[in-house]
Amino acid sequence: MTLIRTIEFEALSDERGGLVSIEQNNNIPFDIKRVYYIFDTQSNVSRGFHSHKNLQQVAICMKGSCRFVIDDGVSREEVILNKPTVGLYIDNNKWREMHDFSEDCILVVIASDFYDESDYIRDYSVFLKGINCDS
Ligand code: T46
């Protein structure tokens, strides 16, 4: 099973430019409750290093690039996001890290729920214990 699940968005492009439409339960596989974005990134500063108990998300790099690592507690896979037409689906119970941000990166994240710090697991050993309890 691959840990990297990307979604290709249809681009409605013409001589004026491109347009992508995002719709819940259509090209996004959940009800959308929140959208946030990350910008002013630095190439030597990584982010993430957590999993979510329940949250599902789709991350889209609207500008620039960054590298995501997805880890299910058994294996780790990575992908470079650098297109506004590709989203990375990040399921719950997956450890994620974001590295190698370009300085012009704008990363938009579409989320299935509101911000809730109690949904985060920010300690890798706690994440691994949770995965091993479930299996
Ligand atoms: C994720 C990756 C891809 C809020 O108050 N509201 C929000 O909606 C978010 C996302 C964050 N925050 C607060 C929590 C922290 O005090 O903003 C601060 C920075 O968040 P964090 O350190 O979690 O940011 P990242 O870039 O490490 O992770 C973020 C998301 O938090 C996370 O859900 O999966 O992007």
Side-chain angles (χ1 to χ4, degrees), residues 10-40:
E10 183 190 358
L12 304 166
S13 299
D14 59 27
E15 63 285 355
R16 298 168 299 170
L19 186 156
V20 168
S21 173
I22 301 280
E23 295 185 352
Q24 66 178 8
N25 297 312
N26 188 355
N27 52 6
I28 297 293
F30 48 75
D31 285 352
I32 298 170
K33 291 259 186 74
R34 177 170 52 115
V35 176
Y36 61 91
Y37 45 94
I38 291 169
F39 60 101
D40 278 352

Side-chain angles (χ1 to χ4, degrees), residues 58-75:
V58 173
I60 308 163
C61 196
M62 295 295 178
K63 190 164 191 272
S65 63
C66 67
R67 178 169 61 90
F68 263 80
V69 173
I70 303 291
D71 178 339
D72 66 355
V74 177
S75 51

Side-chain angles (χ1 to χ4, degrees), residues 34 36 38 47-48 50 52 57 96 98 115 120 122:
R34 177 170 52 115
Y36 61 91
I38 291 169
R47 307 185 63 115
H50 59 259
H52 282 281
Q57 302 189 99
R96 80 285 321 264
M98 298 106 87
Y115 172 71
Y120 286 71
R122 293 188 182 271

Side-chain angles (χ1 to χ4, degrees), residues 48-105:
F49 300 95
H50 59 259
S51 67
H52 282 281
K53 295 174 194 166
N54 295 302
L55 191 71
Q56 302 173 72
Q57 302 189 99
V58 173
I60 308 163
C61 196
M62 295 295 178
K63 190 164 191 272
S65 63
C66 67
R67 178 169 61 90
F68 263 80
V69 173
I70 303 291
D71 178 339
D72 66 355
V74 177
S75 51
R76 285 163 75 84
E77 292 180 13
E78 58 180 53
V79 64
I80 292 173
L81 296 185
N82 56 9
K83 290 190 188 93
T85 53
V86 174
L88 174 65
Y89 173 69
I90 313 169
D91 209 349
N92 64 331
N93 294 326
K94 300 287 180 297
W95 187 262
R96 80 285 321 264
E97 299 172 10
M98 298 106 87
H99 304 280
D100 301 341
F101 284 97
S102 63
E103 289 184 3
D104 62 347
C105 181

Side-chain angles (χ1 to χ4, degrees), residues 49-51 95 120-129:
F49 300 95
H50 59 259
S51 67
W95 187 262
Y120 286 71
I121 298 175
R122 293 188 182 271
D123 180 327
Y124 191 70
S125 61
V126 174
F127 163 70
L128 285 181
K129 270 190 205 138

